[in-house]
Amino acid sequence: MGVKIGIIGAGSAVFSMRLVADICKTPELAGSVISLMDIDEERLNAVHLLASKIVDEFGSDIKFEKTTDLEETIKDSDFVINTAMVGGHNYLEKARAIGEKYGYYRGIDAQEFNMVSDYYTISNFNQLNFAFNVAKLIEKLSPNAWLIQGANPVFEITTLISREVPIKMIGVCHGHYGAMDIFEKLGLKNENVNWQVAGFNHAIWLNRFEYNGEDAYPLIDRWIKENENKEFKPRDPFNDQLSPAAIDMYKFYGMFPIGDTVRNSSWKYHYNLEEKKKWYGEPWGGADSEIGWKWYQNMLLEVTKIIKDFAKLVLENKNKKLSEIFELALVGNRLEGHFEEEMRKILNPAQLSGEQHIPFINAIVNDKKTKLVLNIMNSGIINEIPGDVAVEVPVMVDKNGIHPEEIYPKLNKRIIKYYLYPRMIRMEMALEAFLTGDIKLLEEFLIRDRRTTSYEQVKNVLRELMELPENKNMKKHYLK
Amino acid sequence: MGVKIGIIGAGSAVFSMRLVADICKTPELAGSVISLMDIDEERLNAVHLLASKIVDEFGSDIKFEKTTDLEETIKDSDFVINTAMVGGHNYLEKARAIGEKYGYYRGIDAQEFNMVSDYYTISNFNQLNFAFNVAKLIEKLSPNAWLIQGANPVFEITTLISREVPIKMIGVCHGHYGAMDIFEKLGLKNENVNWQVAGFNHAIWLNRFEYNGEDAYPLIDRWIKENENKEFKPRDPFNDQLSPAAIDMYKFYGMFPIGDTVRNSSWKYHYNLEEKKKWYGEPWGGADSEIGWKWYQNMLLEVTKIIKDFAKLVLENKNKKLSEIFELALVGNRLEGHFEEEMRKILNPAQLSGEQHIPFINAIVNDKKTKLVLNIMNSGIINEIPGDVAVEVPVMVDKNGIHPEEIYPKLNKRIIKYYLYPRMIRMEMALEAFLTGDIKLLEEFLIRDRRTTSYEQVKNVLRELMELPENKNMKKHYLK
Ligand SMILES: NC(=O)c1ccc[n+]([C@@H]2O[C@H](COP(=O)([O-])OP(=O)(O)OC[C@H]3O[C@@H](n4cnc5c(N)ncnc54)[C@H](O)[C@@H]3O)[C@@H](O)[C@H]2O)c1
Ligand SMILES: NC(=O)c1ccc[n+]([C@@H]2O[C@H](COP(=O)([O-])OP(=O)(O)OC[C@H]3O[C@@H](n4cnc5c(N)ncnc54)[C@H](O)[C@@H]3O)[C@@H](O)[C@H]2O)c1
């Protein structure tokens, strides 16, 4: 069945290409119209051009439109995907630098159980506000549409919108695929593994892990015994699923942290670059160190450049196939990490990206029953967590909606009390600050920060942050 | 009706004299036997002598026994009051010094929302263990007896025992009388005030405050407006109920913190002596600064000395009245604070001390309906808090037991989420550490401490703490 899907922030290079290709590879969505929206016309044009070429080459019955107008994208949409990051990485770095100037290593948003470097919960007012406005526009213009929130902070935004705006929404992340790294390392066949994860976004734990019907945790324990004294050698900064940090967290919490959860640990592993290296491996010290994050930013720049080159070459080589043109685009571009492989996957008509956005849409629209791991309101799924907090849990999706699985075995008490609770408290403060504009909440957030040594420091860092030209609205909101 | 009451730690000077006098002033308890127990015979003898003299002078029908044997005190008791502090202030200071050596200003037990300097939740294993053993002895020897826990940490111990030992118990504290300071300052007649407090021990908030049937919070607001620019001049380190810290907390949380809650604030007011002075007044910077606590310790020493002198003089002046002998005891002793006034109150047959222990017993034994503020298992009283956590709440007590009042208005969300939740998390860690002996929990407790800058620091401070001769059992428990 054909639907209209709006993609906001469609210029987000890797992300958009994955979604665009997934749509073209989903025959059940034939007849759909995809409205690509971004404020960056150059990026938007590149993605749009590539999307159109993919349609041609795959012979898909999909129409791609592009616009810089938010309302136009939302109007008549059945699904709105929000992947925009307001201010971009540039803003994140500016805000982080101000934090560091006042003694907050890796910025004020780097917090116990939230170390992910583009997951700003308090200094990117614009990001929360943008997502909130998208939701309110959906309510106004397309009240039956689903909002699929992919841009971070997914935990905060999903909770915020689900509480405050009466629309249908989910938050999506691919972090739970980290579990596959474990299965692979243990030499298990994915299809014989019975597994579950549960928690909050970037805070999920492998509560169920069975292989051929039997508890498979002993396999992890054995692997650890055999490997923990070997040097840990990550292939890239994100390759941390079996890092010393992950194993140490497992030993304390009794269940394995999955995906970005490994990054979202306590300060024990993050005090400084040296500690980060010890726990997340040399030379980067994980994705969120000053070195690891630089690596990631460089990769994003390279990818953005390649996408642009790629688009240009597509125009110049009308008769060549995409995969050939891509090899041309690679010439003169140096790519780190797994992006090449990733891009070849995108261009392969037989492979889906693994992003959950399009399978979710297909499940809802065409009743294609699909198991996903989504962020939705808790309402009793994890019963020690309040009902009005977004959890990330396994669900079955079909035309009747989202059906959460029973979480069994339950998450360990240590995870609930010592990990999810403190993370939840910070979410609550960030949201209350956002909704009320009471600067005392931002202050209190920082007073509880381990890097704070005086109230002056808190006031100063917030003051300087709000003086950024990008933060005019934030300043108005908090210093009225 | 006559009952047997055991008082453990009966040498605790002020505390015991208050209880002893209260019993003698409660005619309904005629025929009771009080078993005073302590390991410090000198203190025990002094209290016992004074107790006997009070009986004589007041003509009470109460029998005081003394013993150094714990089982003897518990056996056949109907009520067991535990006010013992294992290791005494000496131990607290030793442990605090080790903390400070490793960078933990005011010791490792000084934590956000628990700054009270004799409220050790993790470094006094012996204290938790002693209380736990008292409870298990009660279960064994006098399973129908009530345990009245007065020694700190009341929050942790009440939760621990209520969860783990099937006996009847309450935790008691007099912190809620701080509310009277407010009423007095505002010129209100206590009997016309309708008030409630709720929360955890040392973490209670004035959720209800009405005067002559009307909301009385506007009176506080007016008082603040008129007074907040005047210099705050406490009469002693504990005189903080209307300190700048209390007012600042009120402004953030929307309800007034009562009693020790004012001390149990965030680091904002406690970073260092200078900040403490700013928020709790000169010259002490509150009870929990290095100066304020020294003041308190000196006072306790003076009181202990006076009690001993007093007892000696009682022996030498058999025909004099207590109040005359007390004036003699004062000669040559310098007393700070309100202890003199306090002692005169104790010797006045018409006045109860205000401690809740004896009124509680009288209510249970003689059906004398009494409103008290007690620590009991939550079971739905504050519904955002789990049922198996001890809360401090207003209750009515009679022969049928304890009847909690409905908490109305409910505690503000900020209090629940930003104050009680974090406090509860630390309680849970302390109790799990105590019960399991898993040193990782003590470590994790400190990893989350704002003063920790490396994992080494955590391991070192714990190692040195466990090397204290007093901590042989602790070491065995955690380093098995
Ligand atoms: N959920 C996941 O699995 C996952 C994975 C990676 C990244 N992310 C998140 O996705 C988001 C995007 O990350 P990125 O690295 O691609 O960022 P990016 O800055 O490269 O891309 C974001 C896009 O949003 C656009 N944009 C900015 N403001 C906009 C506005 N007002 N309206 C429309 N578009 C706007 C930008 O022009 C850009 O093209 C981030 O929040 C990131 O944390 C999520
Ligand atoms: N709930 C309240 O309202 C309140 C108020 C003030 C103090 N406290 C608490 O009361 C407790 C006592 O404080 P303090 O300043 O009087 O201390 P303290 O050290 O002066 O007195 C405690 C008594 O316990 C005795 N003791 C120690 N180990 C013992 C054992 N194994 N068996 C029997 N007795 C033993 C000591 O000999 C001493 O006489 C502390 O936990 C303190 O925090 C409670």
Side-chain angles (χ1 to χ4, degrees), chain A residues 335-475:
Chain A
L335 261 189
E336 282 193 271
H338 53 288
F339 177 72
E340 275 185 43
E341 178 192 329
E342 166 91 30
M343 203 62 196
R344 293 205 178 89
K345 199 161 122 184
I346 288 174
L347 300 177
N348 174 350
Q351 247 187 325
L352 289 175
S353 71
E355 292 292 345
Q356 303 185 98
H357 309 63
I358 309 307
F360 174 78
I361 294 174
N362 199 17
I364 293 279
V365 175
N366 297 310
D367 202 23
K368 178 142 182 176
K369 288 187 179 30
T370 310
K371 179 177 163 169
L372 299 169
V373 174
L374 299 180
N375 291 271
I376 54 174
M377 273 318 211
N378 182 35
S379 334
I381 303 169
I382 302 178
N383 60 28
E384 298 90 341
I385 299 293
D388 65 345
V389 168
V391 290
E392 186 166 302
V393 286
V395 298
M396 187 57 76
V397 184
D398 62 23
K399 74 168 190 302
N400 296 317
I402 299 170
H403 314 285
E405 293 184 2
E406 189 198 346
I407 301 302
Y408 185 84
K410 290 170 68 155
L411 289 172
N412 285 342
K413 283 225 161 67
R414 286 192 183 178
I415 293 173
I416 299 276
K417 292 183 179 174
Y418 309 150
Y419 188 91
L420 296 180
Y421 268 29
R423 178 66 186 89
M424 178 172 77
I425 292 168
R426 291 211 179 82
M427 173 278 287
E428 293 290 0
M429 287 195 148
L431 293 195
E432 195 187 339
F434 173 75
L435 285 170
T436 62
D438 183 352
I439 193 165
K440 288 274 161 205
L441 283 153
L442 299 185
E443 289 178 6
E444 191 67 30
F445 193 94
L446 289 180
I447 285 164
R448 298 171 186 213
D449 186 297
R450 59 168 297 281
R451 298 160 300 180
T452 298
T453 54
S454 79
Y455 182 41
E456 284 311 304
Q457 181 189 6
V458 168
K459 286 191 290 190
N460 291 340
V461 74
L462 289 175
R463 191 179 314 130
E464 184 156 338
L465 187 69
M466 298 212 197
E467 289 308 329
L468 285 178
E470 291 93 330
N471 285 340
K472 253 190 9 225
N473 287 334
M474 182 182 189
K475 185 172 171 183

Side-chain angles (χ1 to χ4, degrees), chain A residues 169-444:
Chain A
M169 94 162 285
I170 56 166
V172 284
C173 183
H174 49 224
H176 59 283
Y177 289 114
M180 307 299 164
D181 288 1
I182 300 180
F183 307 162
E184 198 195 310
K185 264 283 191 299
L186 299 179
L188 310 184
K189 286 207 183 79
N190 287 354
E191 59 272 24
N192 295 344
V193 181
N194 176 359
W195 63 288
Q196 274 190 336
V197 288
F200 303 145
N201 179 240
H202 289 191
I204 51 173
W205 301 80
L206 189 65
N207 65 303
R208 186 193 300 166
F209 182 32
E210 295 175 359
Y211 194 57
N212 293 327
E214 280 185 38
D215 182 17
Y217 261 109
L219 303 179
I220 297 189
D221 295 336
R222 205 176 57 203
W223 187 92
I224 291 174
K225 251 209 196 106
E226 290 168 2
N227 290 277
E228 81 182 323
N229 293 323
K230 297 184 192 156
E231 196 196 350
F232 174 67
K233 276 259 163 233
R235 64 171 180 269
D236 66 56
F238 289 84
N239 179 215
D240 59 9
Q241 184 60 71
L242 284 153
S243 60
I247 292 167
D248 200 56
M249 289 170 86
Y250 164 53
K251 285 184 180 167
F252 182 72
Y253 290 101
M255 289 175 168
F256 225 87
I258 298 298
D260 306 285
T261 315
V262 176
R263 299 157 69 184
N264 282 339
S265 47
S266 80
W267 283 104
K268 178 178 180 185
Y269 322 123
H270 291 280
Y271 288 121
N272 48 49
L273 182 58
E274 200 188 335
E275 285 295 337
K276 282 177 185 265
K277 284 182 180 176
K278 203 155 87 196
W279 294 101
Y280 294 94
E282 305 260 8
W284 304 284
D288 301 298
S289 79
E290 46 275 50
I291 309 181
W293 195 247
K294 189 100 216 132
W295 179 96
Y296 179 60
Q297 286 180 292
N298 284 340
M299 197 203 71
L300 287 181
L301 286 179
E302 285 161 5
V303 168
T304 307
K305 179 167 177 302
I306 284 209
I307 295 280
K308 277 185 201 162
D309 290 355
F310 192 13
K312 218 173 103 209
L313 287 164
V314 164
L315 277 181
E316 293 167 8
N317 296 276
K318 293 230 151 73
N319 299 325
K320 285 217 174 77
K321 295 200 89 181
L322 274 169
S323 50
E324 297 169 71
I325 305 172
F326 179 62
E327 301 304 327
L328 292 177
L330 282 178
V331 177
N333 284 305
R334 215 181 67 84
L335 261 189
E336 282 193 271
H338 53 288
F339 177 72
E340 275 185 43
E341 178 192 329
E342 166 91 30
M343 203 62 196
R344 293 205 178 89
K345 199 161 122 184
I346 288 174
L347 300 177
N348 174 350
Q351 247 187 325
L352 289 175
S353 71
E355 292 292 345
Q356 303 185 98
H357 309 63
I358 309 307
F360 174 78
I361 294 174
N362 199 17
I364 293 279
V365 175
N366 297 310
D367 202 23
K368 178 142 182 176
K369 288 187 179 30
T370 310
K371 179 177 163 169
L372 299 169
V373 174
L374 299 180
N375 291 271
I376 54 174
M377 273 318 211
N378 182 35
S379 334
I381 303 169
I382 302 178
N383 60 28
E384 298 90 341
I385 299 293
D388 65 345
V389 168
V391 290
E392 186 166 302
V393 286
V395 298
M396 187 57 76
V397 184
D398 62 23
K399 74 168 190 302
N400 296 317
I402 299 170
H403 314 285
E405 293 184 2
E406 189 198 346
I407 301 302
Y408 185 84
K410 290 170 68 155
L411 289 172
N412 285 342
K413 283 225 161 67
R414 286 192 183 178
I415 293 173
I416 299 276
K417 292 183 179 174
Y418 309 150
Y419 188 91
L420 296 180
Y421 268 29
R423 178 66 186 89
M424 178 172 77
I425 292 168
R426 291 211 179 82
M427 173 278 287
E428 293 290 0
M429 287 195 148
L431 293 195
E432 195 187 339
F434 173 75
L435 285 170
T436 62
D438 183 352
I439 193 165
K440 288 274 161 205
L441 283 153
L442 299 185
E443 289 178 6
E444 191 67 30

Side-chain angles (χ1 to χ4, degrees), chain B residues 8-9 11-12 15 37-40 43 83-86 88-89 118 127 130 150-152 172-174 296 300:
Chain B
I8 300 169
S12 168
F15 221 60
M37 186 270 162
D38 206 291
I39 51 167
D40 182 327
R43 284 174 166 220
T83 180
M85 185 159 78
V86 182
H89 288 271
D118 58 358
Q127 175 75 347
F130 181 77
N152 286 323
V172 284
C173 182
H174 49 224
Y296 179 60
L300 288 181

Side-chain angles (χ1 to χ4, degrees), chain A residues 9 11-12 38-39 43 83-85 89 118 130 150-152 172-174:
Chain A
S12 169
D38 205 292
I39 50 167
R43 285 173 165 221
T83 178
M85 185 159 77
H89 289 271
D118 59 356
F130 181 76
N152 286 324
V172 284
C173 183
H174 49 224

